[in-house]
Structures are given as C-alpha cells and as structure tokens.
Amino acid sequence: NAQNVNETSDFGLLVSYLEGNFNTLEQSKTDTNYYHIVLHMKSIWNERSDGIWMYVEQAVGWKQEKPYRQRIYRLTESDDNTFISEVYTFENPLKYAGAWKDINLLADLSPEKLAKREGCTVYIKKTENETFEGGTKGKECQSDLSGAKYASSKVSIKPDMFISWDRGFDDKDEQVWGAETGGYIFKKE
C-alpha cells in the first residue's frame, strides 16, 4: 500500500513536512505587505494506493471559518527523483471547511467528484538535506483572477516551514496579483 510510505524515504519526508498546521503570523508582523494566513494540510483517503491525498485549507487569520482556498492535492513519486503534486478543486467547498480537524466532513467527497486544475501541477525535487523545492511549469496554469492569464506557484518545503509564492501574470507577462518580493513564509505550529 503506497500509503504506508517509508518515513525515511524522501517521499515520506516530504509528506511529513507538508502535513500539519501552519501560519504566517510572524511574517505578517514584520512585513505589512503580508497578511496573517493560516494553512492546514491533512492526509485523507489513506486506504487508497494511488498516491498520498491531502485536504488543503487556507484562510485569513481573522476569518478562519470562511477559508478562501480549499483544494485536494494528490502527491505521487515519479521515477526521476521528482515528486508531483496535482491540484484539484471541488464544488461547494465551504461545506467542507474545517475538514482538517474533522475528516468526517469529507464523507461524501471522492476522487470522482474532483476537478483537476490542468497545468497547475507542482513538480518538487529534494535540493539539500532537509529542503524540497518546486514549482509549476511555464504558463500552463490558467487563471482569470484580477485580469490574469496564467498563474505560477513556487514552493520551498522544510521540516518547520512551507514557503509559498503564488503569482498571477497577464498576457504581457506582467504580474497582476500575488506577493511581489517573495513568498509567504508559513511556520509550522
């Protein structure tokens, strides 16, 4: 069963780094360009053998009951030292808010009900002892937020933090949304 991932393998390490509760409180206090965001990542559907599935919820610190982003990630290991995180959306996401602390809320959700965000897959590689780096490829991840044409995601994953830099670009490749100077630094709680 792929779920019983060997903790000492790179894949097992990556999953253990990602799972948990994170926030950007520290960064938001030192740099007012960054909001206080909370991020929760929780393994789900552990009986499945087609990868590690994670429920992911993101909310503004003072409005945690109404997350602004909810996704399912499917993590798989490809053979060339690369790990793949596919991104899925689902209908009526607020119905599932808080599922990171009560997995039963996801009872009626299944992979068949998910919509894959084509082109938004994140490719991750281990770069040094305790760090993984990754990102989306090219301009394939479509976005229509704030006049964008495509989005890009970059991540850096360490044992105690998850750094995420999501940006949107218009058809002239000019940035139209997202942090401008660097990623959000989510510290693990």
Side-chain angles (χ1 to χ4, degrees):
N1 180 340
Q3 288 299 335
N4 305 326
V5 172
N6 181 344
E7 280 290 322
T8 58
S9 72
D10 285 350
F11 191 46
L13 272 181
L14 175 62
V15 170
S16 71
Y17 290 179
L18 287 173
E19 185 150 24
N21 305 313
F22 304 79
N23 70 70
T24 62
L25 185 60
E26 198 176 306
Q27 183 184 31
S28 71
K29 283 179 171 167
T30 55
D31 186 340
T32 53
N33 290 310
Y34 293 86
Y35 296 99
H36 172 209
I37 308 287
V38 293
L39 167 68
H40 305 284
M41 293 198 251
K42 171 80 177 166
S43 292
I44 57 169
W45 302 335
N46 293 333
E47 69 288 351
R48 297 187 65 94
S49 57
D50 55 352
I52 300 286
W53 295 81
M54 289 191 133
Y55 169 76
V56 182
E57 183 174 299
Q58 226 167 310
V60 178
W62 43 267
K63 212 159 75 173
Q64 296 189 34
E65 72 291 344
K66 285 240 170 80
Y68 63 83
R69 183 183 292 160
Q70 292 162 268
R71 299 282 187 265
I72 302 283
Y73 291 174
R74 180 166 81 114
L75 294 155
T76 51
E77 196 169 358
S78 80
D79 19 327
D80 55 354
N81 189 30
T82 304
F83 307 100
I84 295 170
S85 175
E86 295 170 325
V87 181
Y88 296 86
T89 55
F90 41 93
E91 291 185 359
N92 306 316
L94 286 176
K95 172 182 164 187
Y96 305 103
W100 56 275
K101 57 184 180 217
D102 180 6
I103 211 154
N104 297 319
L105 291 173
L106 298 173
D108 68 344
L109 198 61
S110 62
E112 296 70 41
K113 295 184 179 176
L114 304 178
K116 184 175 172 186
R117 293 207 65 210
E118 296 296 344
C120 300
T121 298
V122 175
Y123 298 85
I124 301 166
K125 283 187 187 298
K126 193 172 189 196
T127 53
E128 51 190 85
N129 209 7
E130 294 194 313
T131 306
F132 294 86
E133 305 277 345
T136 47
K137 285 188 175 168
K139 305 179 183 182
E140 295 164 22
C141 183
Q142 293 182 351
S143 168
D144 50 16
L145 187 69
S146 307
K149 277 281 181 280
Y150 68 94
S152 85
S153 266
K154 278 193 175 133
V155 294
S156 179
I157 304 151
K158 299 169 190 284
D160 57 347
M161 74 173 72
F162 176 84
I163 303 171
S164 164
W165 196 4
D166 294 341
R167 291 175 289 172
F169 297 90
D170 64 16
D171 47 15
K172 299 184 186 68
D173 299 326
E174 288 179 8
Q175 184 173 336
V176 289
W177 60 258
E180 290 177 13
T181 52
Y184 271 85
I185 301 169
F186 290 93
K187 292 280 181 78
K188 202 167 207 174
E189 291 173 9

